[in-house]
PDB file of all heavy atoms in Angstrom:
ATOM      1  N   ALA A  96      30.085 -18.730-129.861  1.00 98.00           N
ATOM      2  CA  ALA A  96      30.549 -17.439-130.250  1.00 98.00           C
ATOM      3  C   ALA A  96      30.446 -17.287-131.704  1.00 98.00           C
ATOM      4  O   ALA A  96      30.301 -18.227-132.492  1.00 98.00           O
ATOM      5  CB  ALA A  96      31.995 -17.396-129.826  1.00 98.00           C
ATOM      6  N   THR A  97      30.403 -16.054-132.024  1.00 98.00           N
ATOM      7  CA  THR A  97      30.398 -15.771-133.434  1.00 98.00           C
ATOM      8  C   THR A  97      31.622 -14.905-133.891  1.00 98.00           C
ATOM      9  O   THR A  97      32.629 -15.238-133.245  1.00 98.00           O
ATOM     10  CB  THR A  97      29.106 -14.835-133.922  1.00 98.00           C
ATOM     11  OG1 THR A  97      29.161 -13.658-133.015  1.00 98.00           O
ATOM     12  CG2 THR A  97      27.710 -15.464-133.501  1.00 98.00           C
ATOM     13  N   GLY A  98      31.675 -14.149-134.872  1.00 96.00           N
ATOM     14  CA  GLY A  98      32.980 -13.481-135.317  1.00 96.00           C
ATOM     15  C   GLY A  98      33.560 -14.326-136.343  1.00 96.00           C
ATOM     16  O   GLY A  98      33.187 -15.426-136.749  1.00 96.00           O
ATOM     17  N   SER A  99      34.873 -13.883-136.884  1.00 97.00           N
ATOM     18  CA  SER A  99      35.660 -14.617-137.819  1.00 97.00           C
ATOM     19  C   SER A  99      36.173 -15.814-137.385  1.00 97.00           C
ATOM     20  O   SER A  99      36.281 -16.744-138.103  1.00 97.00           O
ATOM     21  CB  SER A  99      36.597 -13.632-138.473  1.00 97.00           C
ATOM     22  OG  SER A  99      36.177 -12.300-138.741  1.00 97.00           O
ATOM     23  N   THR A 100      36.636 -15.729-136.126  1.00 98.00           N
ATOM     24  CA  THR A 100      37.484 -16.859-135.740  1.00 98.00           C
ATOM     25  C   THR A 100      36.817 -18.224-135.716  1.00 98.00           C
ATOM     26  O   THR A 100      37.421 -19.228-136.201  1.00 98.00           O
ATOM     27  CB  THR A 100      38.068 -16.526-134.254  1.00 98.00           C
ATOM     28  OG1 THR A 100      38.513 -15.178-134.203  1.00 98.00           O
ATOM     29  CG2 THR A 100      39.179 -17.431-133.966  1.00 98.00           C
ATOM     30  N   PRO A 101      35.498 -18.364-135.249  1.00 98.00           N
ATOM     31  CA  PRO A 101      34.999 -19.776-135.254  1.00 98.00           C
ATOM     32  C   PRO A 101      34.354 -20.167-136.609  1.00 98.00           C
ATOM     33  O   PRO A 101      33.927 -21.232-136.612  1.00 98.00           O
ATOM     34  CB  PRO A 101      33.935 -19.543-134.146  1.00 98.00           C
ATOM     35  CG  PRO A 101      33.568 -18.112-133.960  1.00 98.00           C
ATOM     36  CD  PRO A 101      34.651 -17.431-134.553  1.00 98.00           C
ATOM     37  N   LEU A 127      26.895 -16.179-126.946  1.00 98.00           N
ATOM     38  CA  LEU A 127      27.450 -15.236-125.952  1.00 98.00           C
ATOM     39  C   LEU A 127      26.766 -13.930-126.094  1.00 98.00           C
ATOM     40  O   LEU A 127      26.553 -13.213-125.027  1.00 98.00           O
ATOM     41  CB  LEU A 127      28.774 -14.889-126.284  1.00 98.00           C
ATOM     42  CG  LEU A 127      29.978 -15.831-125.872  1.00 98.00           C
ATOM     43  CD1 LEU A 127      31.099 -15.734-126.719  1.00 98.00           C
ATOM     44  CD2 LEU A 127      30.137 -15.762-124.496  1.00 98.00           C
ATOM     45  N   ASP A 128      26.352 -13.506-127.200  1.00 98.00           N
ATOM     46  CA  ASP A 128      25.910 -12.163-127.475  1.00 98.00           C
ATOM     47  C   ASP A 128      25.150 -11.899-128.716  1.00 98.00           C
ATOM     48  O   ASP A 128      24.990 -12.768-129.586  1.00 98.00           O
ATOM     49  CB  ASP A 128      27.071 -11.150-127.497  1.00 98.00           C
ATOM     50  CG  ASP A 128      28.301 -11.767-128.108  1.00 98.00           C
ATOM     51  OD1 ASP A 128      28.226 -12.549-129.024  1.00 98.00           O
ATOM     52  OD2 ASP A 128      29.511 -11.396-127.794  1.00 98.00           O
ATOM     53  N   TYR A 141      23.664 -11.904-135.202  1.00 98.00           N
ATOM     54  CA  TYR A 141      24.326 -13.167-134.810  1.00 98.00           C
ATOM     55  C   TYR A 141      23.382 -14.332-134.885  1.00 98.00           C
ATOM     56  O   TYR A 141      23.781 -15.437-135.109  1.00 98.00           O
ATOM     57  CB  TYR A 141      24.843 -12.994-133.394  1.00 98.00           C
ATOM     58  CG  TYR A 141      26.242 -12.058-133.383  1.00 98.00           C
ATOM     59  CD1 TYR A 141      26.642 -11.633-132.143  1.00 98.00           C
ATOM     60  CD2 TYR A 141      26.816 -11.782-134.573  1.00 98.00           C
ATOM     61  CE1 TYR A 141      27.749 -10.799-132.107  1.00 98.00           C
ATOM     62  CE2 TYR A 141      27.879 -11.071-134.547  1.00 98.00           C
ATOM     63  CZ  TYR A 141      28.436 -10.487-133.215  1.00 98.00           C
ATOM     64  OH  TYR A 141      29.529  -9.824-133.310  1.00 98.00           O
ATOM     65  N   GLY A 193      35.779 -16.556-128.557  1.00 98.00           N
ATOM     66  CA  GLY A 193      36.704 -15.785-129.213  1.00 98.00           C
ATOM     67  C   GLY A 193      37.253 -14.596-128.349  1.00 98.00           C
ATOM     68  O   GLY A 193      36.738 -14.442-127.338  1.00 98.00           O
ATOM     69  N   VAL A 194      38.204 -13.887-128.834  1.00 98.00           N
ATOM     70  CA  VAL A 194      38.786 -12.778-128.048  1.00 98.00           C
ATOM     71  C   VAL A 194      38.921 -11.416-129.019  1.00 98.00           C
ATOM     72  O   VAL A 194      39.349 -11.673-130.075  1.00 98.00           O
ATOM     73  CB  VAL A 194      40.190 -13.085-127.494  1.00 98.00           C
ATOM     74  CG1 VAL A 194      40.734 -12.025-126.704  1.00 98.00           C
ATOM     75  CG2 VAL A 194      40.035 -14.407-126.655  1.00 98.00           C
ATOM     76  N   GLY A 195      38.558 -10.333-128.409  1.00 96.00           N
ATOM     77  CA  GLY A 195      38.767  -9.138-129.359  1.00 96.00           C
ATOM     78  C   GLY A 195      40.231  -8.681-129.143  1.00 96.00           C
ATOM     79  O   GLY A 195      40.881  -9.111-128.109  1.00 96.00           O
ATOM     80  N   HIS A 199      38.484  -8.243-125.104  1.00 97.00           N
ATOM     81  CA  HIS A 199      37.103  -8.464-124.651  1.00 97.00           C
ATOM     82  C   HIS A 199      36.779  -9.941-124.858  1.00 97.00           C
ATOM     83  O   HIS A 199      37.241 -10.658-125.716  1.00 97.00           O
ATOM     84  CB  HIS A 199      36.115  -7.505-125.370  1.00 97.00           C
ATOM     85  CG  HIS A 199      35.745  -7.751-126.789  1.00 97.00           C
ATOM     86  ND1 HIS A 199      35.436  -6.699-127.589  1.00 97.00           N
ATOM     87  CD2 HIS A 199      35.656  -8.941-127.576  1.00 97.00           C
ATOM     88  CE1 HIS A 199      35.243  -7.184-128.832  1.00 97.00           C
ATOM     89  NE2 HIS A 199      35.406  -8.579-128.872  1.00 97.00           N
ATOM     90  N   ILE A 200      35.882 -10.531-124.031  1.00 98.00           N
ATOM     91  CA  ILE A 200      35.297 -11.751-124.261  1.00 98.00           C
ATOM     92  C   ILE A 200      33.774 -11.596-124.123  1.00 98.00           C
ATOM     93  O   ILE A 200      33.172 -10.870-123.321  1.00 98.00           O
ATOM     94  CB  ILE A 200      35.729 -12.784-123.129  1.00 98.00           C
ATOM     95  CG1 ILE A 200      35.684 -12.336-121.783  1.00 98.00           C
ATOM     96  CG2 ILE A 200      37.248 -13.190-123.579  1.00 98.00           C
ATOM     97  CD1 ILE A 200      36.091 -13.310-120.712  1.00 98.00           C
ATOM     98  N   GLY A 201      32.988 -12.341-125.082  1.00 98.00           N
ATOM     99  CA  GLY A 201      31.697 -11.895-125.376  1.00 98.00           C
ATOM    100  C   GLY A 201      31.792 -10.486-125.646  1.00 98.00           C
ATOM    101  O   GLY A 201      32.733 -10.005-126.270  1.00 98.00           O
ATOM    102  N   PHE A 202      30.914  -9.509-125.195  1.00 98.00           N
ATOM    103  CA  PHE A 202      31.020  -8.039-125.412  1.00 98.00           C
ATOM    104  C   PHE A 202      31.280  -7.477-124.148  1.00 98.00           C
ATOM    105  O   PHE A 202      30.810  -6.341-123.813  1.00 98.00           O
ATOM    106  CB  PHE A 202      29.905  -7.487-126.328  1.00 98.00           C
ATOM    107  CG  PHE A 202      29.997  -7.567-127.671  1.00 98.00           C
ATOM    108  CD1 PHE A 202      28.878  -8.042-128.452  1.00 98.00           C
ATOM    109  CD2 PHE A 202      31.274  -7.473-128.381  1.00 98.00           C
ATOM    110  CE1 PHE A 202      29.141  -8.219-129.915  1.00 98.00           C
ATOM    111  CE2 PHE A 202      31.329  -7.662-129.816  1.00 98.00           C
ATOM    112  CZ  PHE A 202      30.243  -7.996-130.378  1.00 98.00           C
ATOM    113  N   ARG A 228      33.214  -3.489-140.397  1.00 92.00           N
ATOM    114  CA  ARG A 228      33.676  -3.987-141.700  1.00 92.00           C
ATOM    115  C   ARG A 228      32.496  -4.922-142.262  1.00 92.00           C
ATOM    116  O   ARG A 228      32.493  -5.126-143.469  1.00 92.00           O
ATOM    117  CB  ARG A 228      35.059  -4.715-141.594  1.00 92.00           C
ATOM    118  CG  ARG A 228      34.996  -6.076-140.833  1.00 92.00           C
ATOM    119  CD  ARG A 228      36.445  -6.607-140.619  1.00 92.00           C
ATOM    120  NE  ARG A 228      36.576  -7.994-140.203  1.00 92.00           N
ATOM    121  CZ  ARG A 228      36.432  -8.376-138.873  1.00 92.00           C
ATOM    122  NH1 ARG A 228      36.290  -7.311-137.883  1.00 92.00           N
ATOM    123  NH2 ARG A 228      36.566  -9.707-138.461  1.00 92.00           N
ATOM    124  N   LYS A 263      45.880 -10.338-132.149  1.00 98.00           N
ATOM    125  CA  LYS A 263      45.472 -10.873-130.781  1.00 98.00           C
ATOM    126  C   LYS A 263      46.578 -11.184-129.911  1.00 98.00           C
ATOM    127  O   LYS A 263      46.279 -11.555-128.627  1.00 98.00           O
ATOM    128  CB  LYS A 263      44.486 -12.027-130.991  1.00 98.00           C
ATOM    129  CG  LYS A 263      43.352 -12.025-132.053  1.00 98.00           C
ATOM    130  CD  LYS A 263      42.213 -11.144-131.535  1.00 98.00           C
ATOM    131  CE  LYS A 263      41.186 -11.013-132.485  1.00 98.00           C
ATOM    132  NZ  LYS A 263      40.370 -12.181-132.775  1.00 98.00           N
TER     133      LYS A 263
HETATM  134  C1  LIG B 576      31.303 -12.887-130.625  1.00 70.01           C
HETATM  135  C2  LIG B 576      31.981 -12.363-129.587  1.00 70.01           C
HETATM  136  C3  LIG B 576      33.352 -11.578-129.631  1.00 70.01           C
HETATM  137  C4  LIG B 576      34.339 -12.121-130.778  1.00 70.01           C
HETATM  138  C5  LIG B 576      35.424 -11.213-130.722  1.00 70.01           C
HETATM  139  C6  LIG B 576      36.559 -11.638-131.778  1.00 70.01           C
HETATM  140  O1  LIG B 576      30.201 -13.596-130.270  1.00 70.01           O
HETATM  141  O2  LIG B 576      31.632 -12.522-128.416  1.00 70.01           O
HETATM  142  O3  LIG B 576      33.944 -11.453-128.350  1.00 70.01           O
HETATM  143  O4  LIG B 576      34.653 -13.421-130.263  1.00 70.01           O
HETATM  144  O5  LIG B 576      35.083 -10.004-131.027  1.00 70.01           O
HETATM  145  O6  LIG B 576      35.885 -11.565-133.062  1.00 70.01           O
HETATM  146  P1  LIG B 576      36.599 -12.198-134.336  1.00 70.01           P
HETATM  147  O7  LIG B 576      36.733 -13.549-134.136  1.00 70.01           O
HETATM  148  O8  LIG B 576      35.891 -11.616-135.466  1.00 70.01           O
HETATM  149  O9  LIG B 576      38.018 -11.529-134.338  1.00 70.01           O
END
Side-chain angles (χ1 to χ4, degrees):
T97 56
S99 314
T100 316
L127 281 165
D128 40 26
Y141 287 165
V194 179
H199 71 212
I200 50 176
F202 277 134
R228 70 189 190 275
K263 307 284 174 74

